[in-house]
Amino acid sequence: MQITVQFTPAAELQADWLVLPLFEDEALTGRALEIDEALKGAISRLIQAGDIAGKANELTPLLSLTGLAARRLLILGLGKRDQIDGPAVITAAAAAARDITAKQVDRLALVLPDVVPPFTPETWALAFGVGLAQGSHGPGLRKTKAERFPAREYCLLAGPSMPAALVERGARRAAIEGTAVALAQELVNTPPCDLYPESFAERARQVAQASGIEINILDQHQLEAEHMGSLLGVARGSERPPRFVVLRHRRGGQRTLGLVGKGVTFDSGGLSLKTNEQMLDMKCDMAGAAAVLGAMQAIAALQIPVNVHGYLPLVENMPSGKALKLGDVVRARNGKTIEIHNTDAEGRLILADALAYAVDDKAGNLVDLATLTGACMVALGSEVAGVMGNNESWLQRVLSAAQRAGERAWPLPMFPLYGDMIKSKVADMKNTGGSRYGGAITAAKLLEEFVARVPWAHLDIAGPAWMEHESTGRDPGGTGCFVRTLVELAYDYAG
Ligand code: BES
Ligand code: MN
Ligand code: ZN
């Protein structure tokens, strides 16, 4: 994806579509006034008549124009100025892109409105650019007749007084992060017949080689040699052998940030089989691994001077004669034993080994991302990630990275009483809390047993990783969530 920045007079900008964002109930100023004058007051008349209000994500196309070099104009509502934040900008820009990319276009341009604090020219361009990227693809990967057409070129029209270097830096980041988000979305949307542990690992190899990231892929024998009995337990039920991908971006400093992503390429539940309805979207259960791969791609492309390692445990959770049974006990890499009470609580089993591996691999700080529990969606709804961990200041750094990225995450408590709920009579722990109550936290409590003393944050992304229904600003299917939070965190980690 390519995003250029222009400073030309608005009327001279060549484009198939020019997107003009407007705040609600505000007089036209700056670029908007410039365009209105070129159109001999057409926009102010529409506002006067009440046809355009500027409400969030309101779209008003003007198809036949005289006075602009652009062929079509799309007026985009941003809502009230004092309510604008990262998610609002991204959603609005995505709404415009979704509308426009329903047809084939060459050049999609967007007018950057005057910067609203606390945004800077850089973060303003970044948010609008990422929104355009996010709204340009759609879930229809296997349609024989395409229904969405990413534009060949994207362009941001900056205000005359915006510093070029800052806007250009934001646009460059937007192109790289937008591409990484699209990669994660595409991986989540790929059907499970095509995306399984081996094919995911191969895709990771392509991405790594194209990006200059070191990669090591462990197969089943190597996983046995590495004592990853908990991951292997889950993998056993499937015809598809597991893989464990290790990605390394080594660009400086003593400390290493470790990113771990749950990669269950399909979650049937195993012998604790899900219902048809629960199983339908379970190709999304590798969204954590997709986010880590996307983030590694972006971190490498941005050449962030930092050490970041990515760990992707990849399995398929299936029922079979070889599958894990209830009452089975597995031994994880760090020697701890886990009694299986529900084979559908498989994510924590593969993450246990992956986290222990990352600890042995000398990660200085850890973040894991996982579509881990339905309980987290009960707690926070489907648009907000739950955040848990073992270190308050590390949690705050992760939460503020999410804030800067315009992604929603919220902390849940880790009181010791939740740890009591996963005690087993037979083994060191059991893989469920027994009741549904507190399910997001009992899952995190199990993970905590595998991070030793490393500062660790766990993001339960079961809700935000997947959109069941479309909305104006959002396609259904994979969302690519938290790729950009990880990029922000890598910048923070680089110091
Ligand atoms: N992958 C699911 C969690 C999930 C549910 C993700 C809905 C996205 C949408 C996970 O493996 C799972 O099945 N969790 C169980 C845990 C339970 C058996 C303790 C759940 O949430 O019901
Ligand atoms: Mn499951
Ligand atoms: Zn799962």
Side-chain angles (χ1 to χ4, degrees), residues 262 264 267-269 274 282 285 317 343-347 371-372:
K262 173 178 172 181
V264 177
D267 183 9
S268 72
K274 289 181 183 292
M282 278 303 136
D285 213 16
N317 187 24
T343 63
D344 199 10
E346 85 296 341
T371 46
L372 204 60

Side-chain angles (χ1 to χ4, degrees), residues 8-340:
T8 52
E12 290 170 22
L13 188 76
Q14 303 271 350
D16 296 288
W17 278 97
L18 181 60
V19 180
L20 175 63
L22 294 182
F23 288 107
E24 192 172 339
D25 296 335
E26 284 191 20
L28 300 177
T29 57
R31 289 290 197 194
L33 192 59
E34 194 187 330
I35 292 171
D36 190 45
E37 280 165 3
L39 294 174
K40 305 208 164 52
I43 302 173
S44 34
R45 280 196 298 278
L46 286 168
I47 294 175
Q48 218 114 67
D51 288 316
I52 297 175
K55 289 208 184 308
N57 310 330
E58 178 192 79
L59 300 173
T60 313
L62 303 185
L63 295 176
S64 62
L65 307 173
T66 46
L68 294 186
R71 293 173 60 189
R72 308 173 191 88
L73 187 68
L74 181 64
I75 299 171
L76 167 65
L78 290 178
K80 294 231 158 55
R81 179 184 292 265
D82 58 9
Q83 279 170 21
I84 201 84
D85 59 5
V89 172
I90 293 170
T91 306
R98 288 192 69 215
D99 195 62
I100 290 170
T101 58
K103 306 230 169 73
Q104 225 148 356
V105 295
D106 257 4
R107 191 156 202 243
L108 192 170
L110 177 139
V111 178
L112 284 177
D114 291 334
V115 177
V116 178
F119 286 95
T120 65
E122 182 179 353
T123 60
W124 197 234
L126 174 59
F128 277 100
V130 159
L132 291 180
Q134 208 149 294
S136 286
H137 298 279
L141 300 179
R142 295 291 182 272
K143 288 192 181 289
T144 50
K145 199 162 164 282
E147 288 179 353
R148 292 288 283 287
F149 309 89
R152 199 178 46 77
E153 191 194 340
Y154 294 80
C155 169
L156 299 176
L157 181 64
S161 64
M162 289 183 189
L166 292 185
V167 181
E168 268 152 20
R169 206 156 72 199
R172 178 168 167 268
R173 266 190 72 172
I176 288 171
E177 296 184 27
T179 302
V181 169
L183 168 65
Q185 283 178 304
E186 185 204 314
L187 287 166
V188 172
N189 287 334
T190 302
C193 55
D194 293 334
L195 195 83
Y196 42 90
E198 294 157 283
S199 61
F200 193 144
E202 275 318 307
R203 188 69 197 277
R205 193 192 297 283
Q206 290 167 5
V207 169
Q209 280 170 353
S211 313
I213 300 168
E214 284 175 42
I215 182 165
N216 188 18
I217 301 176
L218 281 66
D219 64 17
Q220 185 158 339
H221 295 293
Q222 291 165 301
L223 291 170
E224 282 160 13
E226 295 286 347
H227 307 290
M228 297 176 62
S230 184
L231 184 157
L232 288 165
V234 178
R236 226 162 60 200
S238 171
E239 297 287 318
R240 300 281 192 194
R243 289 291 183 270
F244 185 67
V245 176
V246 181
L247 300 157
R248 294 197 165 90
H249 167 84
R250 288 197 240 238
R251 290 293 144 80
Q254 291 300 302
R255 297 177 70 76
T256 297
L257 172 60
L259 307 175
V260 180
K262 173 178 172 181
V264 177
T265 56
F266 184 71
D267 183 9
S268 72
L271 290 181
S272 311
L273 198 65
K274 289 181 183 292
T275 63
N276 195 84
E277 199 190 342
Q278 291 168 333
M279 206 188 295
L280 181 57
D281 296 329
M282 278 303 136
K283 67 176 182 184
C284 81
D285 213 16
M286 33 53 72
V292 171
L293 182 61
M296 295 297 296
Q297 183 192 56
I299 289 165
L302 291 164
Q303 302 177 302
I304 305 180
V306 64
N307 295 330
V308 186
H309 292 179
Y311 304 91
L312 317 180
L314 304 172
V315 303
E316 203 181 56
N317 187 24
M318 295 291 281
S320 81
K322 289 194 242 157
L324 278 178
K325 305 171 195 74
L326 308 194
D328 271 353
V329 172
V330 295
R331 183 185 295 274
R333 177 178 172 82
N334 68 351
K336 292 189 182 178
T337 56
I338 311 169
E339 185 187 10
I340 308 303

